[in-house]
Amino acid sequence: MKNLLKFEFRKLIKQKSFYICAAVILAMEFLSLMLQKQLSALSGSADGLSVTSVLLSAIDSSGFTMICGIFIALFTCADYTEQTIKNIYSHGFSKTKVCFSKFITVVTATLVMFAATIIFSFACGNAMFGRGDDGNCAGLLFGQLLMCIAHSAFVFAISIAVKKGGVSIACAILGPSLVGILLSFIDASVKSDGFSLAKYWLSYFSGDLSTLSTSAERLTICSIFCIIYTVMFTLIACLINKKQEH
């Protein structure tokens, strides 16, 4: 496992798409902040704009989950599309270990991108706007991190299942929204008072984890479900990979 992780991390460091996607995320966040600053200057009011609001909105405004998902799809499918996966298995590594090593690398890449986005947003927000009310910013950011990891696990599972870069990228872009729409359709069909399946899906969590008004109870629910999704999608990916012929 140690050698597999070294191999995967070496690939990650050499992967151009990792740096390109990270740069795109930061560029998108910078453009979003510049737009907000320009709009506040035109309106003559910066109400609601602060370092805290910038941090909490950074993942959404930068397109983090979509762009990170694209990278994960490219990275995960590379060994299969290039047929190098057979060389890895020829060294005696099991399918389960190969799958877990790839997932650990994917999570590491997500963590690095997330940290870079938050640090960059904090620096820019501090330069452009005031401090504002911190509230439970740290807890919400931790919830967002769990959400991003769960999203990465979702894309990873799809990429392992289809092993096609193009299809995996399409699923990374559209998949979470389509699942959310399907759940909303089920909610509308069932018409259950006070209960909504869509509220427990990743796409819905994004809004709740981006505002200080979110209760501690809702934050806990979002975090727990993100952990459940991460474990579930990882196990699904490993089971699929184990059963498939390569």
Side-chain angles (χ1 to χ4, degrees):
M1 191 69 175
K2 183 179 179 181
N3 291 331
L4 271 175
L5 286 173
K6 285 182 178 179
F7 173 70
E8 294 293 340
F9 282 129
R10 278 199 300 268
K11 282 198 306 178
L12 176 63
I13 293 171
K14 295 178 181 178
Q15 196 89 8
K16 291 181 180 179
S17 58
F18 175 62
Y19 302 101
I20 293 172
C21 288
V24 170
I25 289 171
L26 298 184
M28 290 285 286
E29 174 62 3
F30 181 74
L31 290 174
S32 175
L33 290 175
M34 291 299 294
L35 178 61
Q36 291 180 57
K37 185 174 178 61
Q38 187 65 27
L39 290 174
S40 66
L42 290 173
S43 65
S45 172
D47 291 343
L49 293 175
S50 65
V51 174
T52 302
S53 66
V54 166
L55 287 175
L56 292 179
S57 64
I59 296 304
D60 273 343
S61 59
S62 65
F64 182 93
T65 53
M66 181 185 71
I67 299 169
C68 183
I70 290 173
F71 163 73
I72 290 168
L74 290 171
F75 181 82
T76 305
C77 295
D79 283 333
Y80 300 99
T81 54
E82 296 170 6
Q83 296 297 313
T84 55
I85 192 67
K86 294 179 180 179
N87 294 331
I88 298 174
Y89 289 135
S90 67
H91 285 79
F93 297 116
S94 69
K95 291 182 178 181
T96 300
K97 287 184 177 180
V98 169
C99 188
F100 268 116
S101 66
K102 286 183 178 297
F103 178 69
I104 291 171
T105 309
V106 159
V107 170
T108 302
T110 303
L111 289 172
V112 171
M113 288 184 179
F114 184 90
T117 304
I118 296 303
I119 293 171
F120 180 79
S121 298
F122 177 81
C124 291
N126 197 47
M128 295 180 183
F129 312 110
R131 286 287 301 179
D133 178 21
D134 290 341
N136 191 24
C137 182
L140 291 167
L141 286 177
F142 182 70
Q144 288 186 16
L145 174 59
L146 294 177
M147 179 190 70
C148 291
I149 293 174
H151 184 276
S152 296
F154 173 74
V155 177
F156 178 75
I158 292 175
S159 300
I160 286 291
V162 299
K163 294 178 172 57
K164 302 287 185 182
V167 177
S168 298
I169 289 172
C171 290
I173 296 171
L174 301 174
S177 297
L178 290 176
V179 173
I181 292 171
L182 176 61
L183 293 176
S184 296
F185 177 77
I186 294 172
D187 289 333
S189 301
V190 175
K191 296 180 181 178
S192 176
D193 294 334
F195 181 78
S196 170
L197 286 172
K199 288 177 65 176
Y200 297 92
W201 177 240
L202 296 173
S203 300
Y204 205 101
F205 294 164
S206 181
D208 290 332
L209 295 172
S210 300
T211 175
L212 290 173
S213 62
T214 298
S215 66
E217 181 183 3
R218 180 59 181 169
L219 172 58
T220 301
I221 290 172
C222 292
S223 299
I224 290 173
F225 269 88
C226 284
I227 294 171
I228 291 172
Y229 284 136
T230 299
V231 174
M232 181 180 72
F233 290 133
T234 305
L235 292 176
I236 288 173
C238 288
L239 287 173
I240 290 174
N241 192 60
K242 189 175 182 179
K243 291 183 178 181
Q244 287 179 330
E245 294 293 333
H246 303 302

PDB file of all heavy atoms in Angstrom, residues 77-87 246:
ATOM      1  N   CYS A  77      -9.421   8.244 -14.226  1.00  0.00           N
ATOM      2  CA  CYS A  77      -9.581   7.466 -15.461  1.00  0.00           C
ATOM      3  C   CYS A  77      -8.276   7.294 -16.244  1.00  0.00           C
ATOM      4  O   CYS A  77      -8.209   6.463 -17.152  1.00  0.00           O
ATOM      5  CB  CYS A  77     -10.622   8.123 -16.368  1.00  0.00           C
ATOM      6  SG  CYS A  77     -12.290   8.126 -15.685  1.00  0.00           S
ATOM      7  N   ALA A  78      -7.249   8.070 -15.896  1.00  0.00           N
ATOM      8  CA  ALA A  78      -6.010   8.084 -16.684  1.00  0.00           C
ATOM      9  C   ALA A  78      -5.394   6.699 -16.851  1.00  0.00           C
ATOM     10  O   ALA A  78      -5.049   6.289 -17.969  1.00  0.00           O
ATOM     11  CB  ALA A  78      -5.003   9.043 -16.044  1.00  0.00           C
ATOM     12  N   ASP A  79      -5.241   5.954 -15.763  1.00  0.00           N
ATOM     13  CA  ASP A  79      -4.607   4.634 -15.834  1.00  0.00           C
ATOM     14  C   ASP A  79      -5.408   3.647 -16.675  1.00  0.00           C
ATOM     15  O   ASP A  79      -4.843   2.722 -17.268  1.00  0.00           O
ATOM     16  CB  ASP A  79      -4.409   4.058 -14.427  1.00  0.00           C
ATOM     17  CG  ASP A  79      -3.241   4.698 -13.701  1.00  0.00           C
ATOM     18  OD1 ASP A  79      -2.302   5.161 -14.383  1.00  0.00           O
ATOM     19  OD2 ASP A  79      -3.261   4.750 -12.460  1.00  0.00           O
ATOM     20  N   TYR A  80      -6.717   3.823 -16.696  1.00  0.00           N
ATOM     21  CA  TYR A  80      -7.576   2.909 -17.452  1.00  0.00           C
ATOM     22  C   TYR A  80      -7.594   3.258 -18.940  1.00  0.00           C
ATOM     23  O   TYR A  80      -7.543   2.378 -19.797  1.00  0.00           O
ATOM     24  CB  TYR A  80      -8.990   2.933 -16.881  1.00  0.00           C
ATOM     25  CG  TYR A  80      -9.043   2.523 -15.431  1.00  0.00           C
ATOM     26  CD1 TYR A  80      -9.100   3.486 -14.417  1.00  0.00           C
ATOM     27  CD2 TYR A  80      -9.010   1.186 -15.062  1.00  0.00           C
ATOM     28  CE1 TYR A  80      -9.129   3.120 -13.082  1.00  0.00           C
ATOM     29  CE2 TYR A  80      -9.038   0.803 -13.723  1.00  0.00           C
ATOM     30  CZ  TYR A  80      -9.094   1.780 -12.742  1.00  0.00           C
ATOM     31  OH  TYR A  80      -9.106   1.407 -11.411  1.00  0.00           O
ATOM     32  N   THR A  81      -7.656   4.546 -19.260  1.00  0.00           N
ATOM     33  CA  THR A  81      -7.674   4.953 -20.667  1.00  0.00           C
ATOM     34  C   THR A  81      -6.309   4.746 -21.326  1.00  0.00           C
ATOM     35  O   THR A  81      -6.230   4.461 -22.520  1.00  0.00           O
ATOM     36  CB  THR A  81      -8.087   6.439 -20.803  1.00  0.00           C
ATOM     37  OG1 THR A  81      -7.230   7.247 -19.992  1.00  0.00           O
ATOM     38  CG2 THR A  81      -9.522   6.633 -20.346  1.00  0.00           C
ATOM     39  N   GLU A  82      -5.241   4.878 -20.539  1.00  0.00           N
ATOM     40  CA  GLU A  82      -3.889   4.694 -21.068  1.00  0.00           C
ATOM     41  C   GLU A  82      -3.405   3.243 -20.950  1.00  0.00           C
ATOM     42  O   GLU A  82      -2.278   2.932 -21.332  1.00  0.00           O
ATOM     43  CB  GLU A  82      -2.924   5.625 -20.338  1.00  0.00           C
ATOM     44  CG  GLU A  82      -3.213   7.113 -20.564  1.00  0.00           C
ATOM     45  CD  GLU A  82      -2.402   8.001 -19.651  1.00  0.00           C
ATOM     46  OE1 GLU A  82      -1.523   7.461 -18.923  1.00  0.00           O
ATOM     47  OE2 GLU A  82      -2.645   9.217 -19.635  1.00  0.00           O
ATOM     48  N   GLN A  83      -4.255   2.384 -20.372  1.00  0.00           N
ATOM     49  CA  GLN A  83      -3.957   0.950 -20.215  1.00  0.00           C
ATOM     50  C   GLN A  83      -2.748   0.664 -19.338  1.00  0.00           C
ATOM     51  O   GLN A  83      -2.131  -0.404 -19.436  1.00  0.00           O
ATOM     52  CB  GLN A  83      -3.750   0.316 -21.606  1.00  0.00           C
ATOM     53  CG  GLN A  83      -4.975   0.342 -22.509  1.00  0.00           C
ATOM     54  CD  GLN A  83      -6.140  -0.460 -21.946  1.00  0.00           C
ATOM     55  OE1 GLN A  83      -5.950  -1.598 -21.511  1.00  0.00           O
ATOM     56  NE2 GLN A  83      -7.326   0.116 -21.937  1.00  0.00           N
ATOM     57  N   THR A  84      -2.394   1.613 -18.472  1.00  0.00           N
ATOM     58  CA  THR A  84      -1.263   1.387 -17.561  1.00  0.00           C
ATOM     59  C   THR A  84      -1.702   0.635 -16.300  1.00  0.00           C
ATOM     60  O   THR A  84      -0.854   0.186 -15.525  1.00  0.00           O
ATOM     61  CB  THR A  84      -0.622   2.723 -17.139  1.00  0.00           C
ATOM     62  OG1 THR A  84      -1.633   3.570 -16.585  1.00  0.00           O
ATOM     63  CG2 THR A  84       0.011   3.417 -18.331  1.00  0.00           C
ATOM     64  N   ILE A  85      -3.008   0.486 -16.113  1.00  0.00           N
ATOM     65  CA  ILE A  85      -3.515  -0.190 -14.925  1.00  0.00           C
ATOM     66  C   ILE A  85      -3.063  -1.650 -14.889  1.00  0.00           C
ATOM     67  O   ILE A  85      -2.841  -2.217 -13.814  1.00  0.00           O
ATOM     68  CB  ILE A  85      -5.066  -0.087 -14.871  1.00  0.00           C
ATOM     69  CG1 ILE A  85      -5.578  -0.526 -13.497  1.00  0.00           C
ATOM     70  CG2 ILE A  85      -5.702  -0.888 -15.984  1.00  0.00           C
ATOM     71  CD1 ILE A  85      -5.202   0.384 -12.378  1.00  0.00           C
ATOM     72  N   LYS A  86      -2.896  -2.267 -16.069  1.00  0.00           N
ATOM     73  CA  LYS A  86      -2.462  -3.666 -16.126  1.00  0.00           C
ATOM     74  C   LYS A  86      -1.048  -3.828 -15.574  1.00  0.00           C
ATOM     75  O   LYS A  86      -0.723  -4.844 -14.946  1.00  0.00           O
ATOM     76  CB  LYS A  86      -2.531  -4.176 -17.562  1.00  0.00           C
ATOM     77  CG  LYS A  86      -3.964  -4.251 -18.110  1.00  0.00           C
ATOM     78  CD  LYS A  86      -3.982  -4.744 -19.538  1.00  0.00           C
ATOM     79  CE  LYS A  86      -5.415  -4.807 -20.070  1.00  0.00           C
ATOM     80  NZ  LYS A  86      -5.465  -5.262 -21.486  1.00  0.00           N
ATOM     81  N   ASN A  87      -0.207  -2.827 -15.810  1.00  0.00           N
ATOM     82  CA  ASN A  87       1.154  -2.869 -15.275  1.00  0.00           C
ATOM     83  C   ASN A  87       1.149  -2.800 -13.750  1.00  0.00           C
ATOM     84  O   ASN A  87       1.978  -3.438 -13.077  1.00  0.00           O
ATOM     85  CB  ASN A  87       1.974  -1.701 -15.831  1.00  0.00           C
ATOM     86  CG  ASN A  87       2.187  -1.809 -17.329  1.00  0.00           C
ATOM     87  OD1 ASN A  87       2.219  -2.911 -17.877  1.00  0.00           O
ATOM     88  ND2 ASN A  87       2.323  -0.673 -17.992  1.00  0.00           N
ATOM     89  N   HIS A 246     -10.139  -5.885 -16.001  1.00  0.00           N
ATOM     90  CA  HIS A 246      -9.285  -4.802 -16.513  1.00  0.00           C
ATOM     91  C   HIS A 246      -8.309  -5.330 -17.554  1.00  0.00           C
ATOM     92  O   HIS A 246      -7.903  -6.457 -17.514  1.00  0.00           O
ATOM     93  CB  HIS A 246      -8.505  -4.159 -15.361  1.00  0.00           C
ATOM     94  CG  HIS A 246      -9.400  -3.616 -14.271  1.00  0.00           C
ATOM     95  ND1 HIS A 246     -10.372  -2.669 -14.508  1.00  0.00           N
ATOM     96  CD2 HIS A 246      -9.506  -3.963 -12.953  1.00  0.00           C
ATOM     97  CE1 HIS A 246     -11.003  -2.397 -13.371  1.00  0.00           C
ATOM     98  NE2 HIS A 246     -10.500  -3.171 -12.418  1.00  0.00           N
TER      99      HIS A 246
END
